[in-house]
């Protein structure tokens, strides 16, 4: 998508051939983008060019193919740095996804944690940004404090200055909730955390699908996201960290590609990001992710956001019209991402989503890997519709029509 002026929902949709397929004889209405979104053809083409023309390992071979694959791999790193507004590409680590990135940071930081240290996590986190910290409580004796939620599931930051104390070493929060679509006030959190000398790790898995992020403006210390939710391939993700922090961390995995010198007795590791990329990386996926990020950066984000808000408004109005429906997060289209979780009185979300599937409408039902949040809200599961840039009014209308059919069956 190089010419941003020619943007239209239809031209965008044409880049996703998967949208032409049918499900149970019905046109596909895919609204589970928060789980995994589709990728445009340019991503598949970039990966297929690698596979068919220069497949080889990176940072090893001096022959032409090796040079080309290393260049393409490092070009993807430049794209990721630009996408996050990192100060340098040396701050970008390619991982297998957000889950891996959280585990990497939790393990590496914990090497310097002591009993009595505190970490602060919110109740609304995805399990990927919850369990690794919970394990540190068991393994290192650190205290894990929780940021509570309001009745709608958004974070309650009113007592934050008492939760983050001078014993706090780290605050780990998501940028956008995968359940409520609520946007976290990161500036407020980093202000308080840094004042107490704590670092801030941000799970950006649900934020990067909605446009480039500025880690410098957010003033955070670590930021992670997954390729497959940001129009890129599965099996790849990005972890960004401030260069001086990466230099101070011990490695996570050890092996080839991350050393300066190995002797029979000891090993000296590379510094910065290279210390964290042991072994052969997912090369085709990294190159595909680079293409996805270039594609995302070329989109006209002001227009896209207006368009997403228009679709959100249509969906919100329809949902709030349904009797007995409880919508989580903001009840307006502003100050939220287009992720809508709802509970319909006396209808289990698995039944709701099963019947929606008969109409070609794909929604996610369940606890969304956020059981502590479900517990806090007195829920077991919700149905969740999440909108991507290629969705259109017909997707929203199909969902609302199918929901009425669901109600006829279940009520
Ligand atoms: N955090 C959030 C907010 C998510 O939505 C997800 C995926 N549902 C993850 C972390 C985990 O991402 P991945 O499975 O790609 O590692």
């Amino acid at each position: 998508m190089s010419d941003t002026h020619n943007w239209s929902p239809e031209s965008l949709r044409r880049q996703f051939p998967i949208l032409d397929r049918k499900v149970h004889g019905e046109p596909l209405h895919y609204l589970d983008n928060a789980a995994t979104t589709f990728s445009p053809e340019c991503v598949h083409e970039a990966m297929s060019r690698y596979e068919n023309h220069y497949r080889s390992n990176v940072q090893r071979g001096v022959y032409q193919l090796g040079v080309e694959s290393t260049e393409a791999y490092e070009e993807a790193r430049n794209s990721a740095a630009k996408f996050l507004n990192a100060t340098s590409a040396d701050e970008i680590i390619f991982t297998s996804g957000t889950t891996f990135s959280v585990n990497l940071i939790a393990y590496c930081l914990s090497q310097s944690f002591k009993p009595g240290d505190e970490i602060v996590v919110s109740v609304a986190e995805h399990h990927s940004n919850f369990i690794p910290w919970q394990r540190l409580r068991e393994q290192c004796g650190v205290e894990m404090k929780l940021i509570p939620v309001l009745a709608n599931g958004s974070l309650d930051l009113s007592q934050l200055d008492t939760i983050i104390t001078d014993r706090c070493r780290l605050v780990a929060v998501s940028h956008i909730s995968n359940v409520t679509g609520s946007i976290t006030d990161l500036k407020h959190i980093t202000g308080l955390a840094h004042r107490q000398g704590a670092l801030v790790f941000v799970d950006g898995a649900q934020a990067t699908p909605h446009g480039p992020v500025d880690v410098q403006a957010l003033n955070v210390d670590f930021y992670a996201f997954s390729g497959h939710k940001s129009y890129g391939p599965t099996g790849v993700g990005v972890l960004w960290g401030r260069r001086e922090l990466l230099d101070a961390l011990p490695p996570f995995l050890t092996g080839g590609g991350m050393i300066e010198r190995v002797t029979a007795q000891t090993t000296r590791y590379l510094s910065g990001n290279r210390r964290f990329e042991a072994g052969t990386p997912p090369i085709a996926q990294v190159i595909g992710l680079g293409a996805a990020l270039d594609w995302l950066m070329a989109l006209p984000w002001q227009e896209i956001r207006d368009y997403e808000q228009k679709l959100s408004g249509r969906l919100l109005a329809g949902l709030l019209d349904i009797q007995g429906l409880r919508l989580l997060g903001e009840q307006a289209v502003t100050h939220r991402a287009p992720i809508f979780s709802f509970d319909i009185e006396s209808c289990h979300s698995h039944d709701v989503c099963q019947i929606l599937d008969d109409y070609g409408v794909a929604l996610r039902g369940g606890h969304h890997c956020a059981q502590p949040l479900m517990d806090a809200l007195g829920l077991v599961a919700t149905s969740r519709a999440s909108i991507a840039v290629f969705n259109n009014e017909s997707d929203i209308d199909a969902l609302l029509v199918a929901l009425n059919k669901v109600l006829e069956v279940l009520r």
Side-chain angles (χ1 to χ4, degrees):
M1 184 100 197
S2 51
D3 188 352
T4 58
H5 299 291
N6 287 337
W7 178 80
S8 72
E10 292 70 34
S11 68
L12 217 145
R13 284 177 72 80
R14 279 197 290 277
Q15 299 175 54
F16 294 83
I18 194 170
L19 293 172
D20 292 335
R21 69 158 291 176
K22 298 215 150 127
V23 173
H24 308 307
E26 300 282 341
L28 170 67
H29 298 288
Y30 186 78
L31 289 162
D32 193 18
N33 296 289
T36 291
T37 192
F38 301 148
S39 43
E41 271 181 314
C42 64
V43 170
H44 313 150
E45 283 160 9
M47 292 169 76
S48 142
R49 260 197 311 280
Y50 166 76
E51 295 293 355
N52 293 320
H53 294 284
Y54 60 95
R55 180 181 161 109
S56 53
N57 217 318
V58 288
Q59 278 137 9
R60 285 158 173 80
V62 292
Y63 46 84
Q64 183 59 27
L65 263 61
V67 170
E68 288 176 22
S69 61
T70 301
E71 274 174 8
Y73 185 81
E74 291 305 324
E75 207 37 62
R77 198 187 302 279
N78 290 335
S79 296
K82 201 164 150 207
F83 183 78
L84 293 176
N85 194 29
T87 49
S88 125
D90 291 346
E91 297 183 327
I92 300 294
I93 300 164
F94 288 116
T95 69
S96 65
T98 306
T99 303
F100 190 98
S101 299
V102 185
N103 278 276
L104 185 159
I105 288 296
Y107 171 84
C108 293
L109 284 179
S110 70
Q111 304 304 298
S112 69
F113 284 176
K114 299 178 302 302
D117 285 346
E118 296 173 356
I119 46 184
V120 171
V121 179
S122 98
V123 159
E125 296 312 305
H126 186 282
H127 294 164
S128 290
N129 193 29
F130 197 87
I131 306 170
W133 309 115
Q134 214 173 34
R135 276 182 88 199
L136 291 193
R137 189 174 57 190
E138 291 150 19
Q139 290 170 348
C140 316
V142 297
E143 194 181 335
M144 178 170 158
K145 289 170 132 182
L146 296 178
I147 302 173
V149 288
L150 303 165
N152 69 1
S154 300
L155 298 195
D156 177 359
L157 300 182
S158 61
Q159 307 296 316
L160 198 62
D161 54 349
T162 60
I163 297 172
I164 302 177
T165 70
D166 59 359
R167 301 171 79 143
C168 181
R169 301 285 308 273
L170 180 86
V171 180
V173 284
S174 57
H175 194 170
I176 291 178
S177 161
N178 65 309
V179 182
T180 62
S182 298
I183 302 167
T184 306
D185 184 351
L186 290 177
K187 282 194 183 163
H188 180 58
I189 293 177
T190 46
L192 286 174
H194 287 163
R195 206 178 307 151
Q196 299 288 19
L199 297 171
V200 178
F201 171 88
V202 177
D203 166 356
Q206 295 298 340
T208 50
H210 302 288
V213 167
D214 186 341
V215 289
Q216 294 189 66
L218 292 173
N219 197 22
V220 297
D221 300 297
F222 301 103
Y223 195 98
F225 70 92
S226 298
H228 68 103
K229 295 179 198 285
S230 295
Y231 303 94
T234 55
V236 66
V238 168
L239 170 63
W240 167 85
R242 288 188 193 284
R243 176 67 204 245
E244 66 276 16
L245 295 174
L246 297 183
D247 283 342
L249 289 180
F252 182 40
L253 300 182
T254 52
M258 49 81 76
I259 57 96
E260 224 167 66
R261 178 80 174 98
V262 184
T263 67
Q265 282 73 37
T266 184
T267 298
R268 212 168 49 238
Y269 305 115
L270 286 169
S271 59
N273 57 345
R274 296 287 307 283
R275 177 179 295 184
F276 300 98
E277 291 183 6
T280 298
I283 303 168
Q285 288 83 349
V286 165
I287 291 168
L289 177 58
L293 298 179
D294 290 343
W295 179 84
L296 270 171
M297 284 189 279
L299 289 179
W301 278 102
Q302 193 47 53
E303 285 174 56
I304 298 275
R305 287 200 179 101
D306 291 346
Y307 177 67
E308 280 185 348
Q309 277 203 6
K310 201 170 103 190
L311 295 184
S312 294
R314 200 176 178 95
L315 176 58
L316 202 71
L319 289 178
L320 294 178
D321 236 19
I322 296 173
Q323 241 198 338
L325 183 141
R326 175 183 174 192
L327 178 75
L328 299 184
E330 296 292 325
Q331 308 289 296
V333 292
T334 49
H335 302 109
R336 62 144 46 248
I339 300 170
F340 298 90
S341 280
F342 54 88
D343 174 53
I344 305 177
E345 207 178 2
S346 68
C347 304
H348 194 285
S349 71
H350 284 156
D351 297 331
V352 173
C353 294
Q354 192 69 59
I355 300 172
L356 288 177
D357 180 57
D358 294 341
Y359 297 92
V361 179
L363 246 66
R364 172 80 175 274
H367 53 64
H368 313 294
C369 300
Q371 285 184 329
L373 175 64
M374 293 292 144
D375 290 345
L377 298 176
L379 292 165
V380 175
T382 63
S383 306
R384 180 186 70 186
S386 45
I387 295 172
V389 294
F390 52 72
N391 285 122
N392 60 13
E393 292 181 353
S394 138
D395 295 325
I396 305 298
D397 294 346
L399 166 59
L400 293 172
V401 168
L403 266 179
N404 275 314
K405 308 270 187 204
V406 169
L407 297 179
E408 281 170 22
V409 175
L410 295 180
R411 274 190 171 160

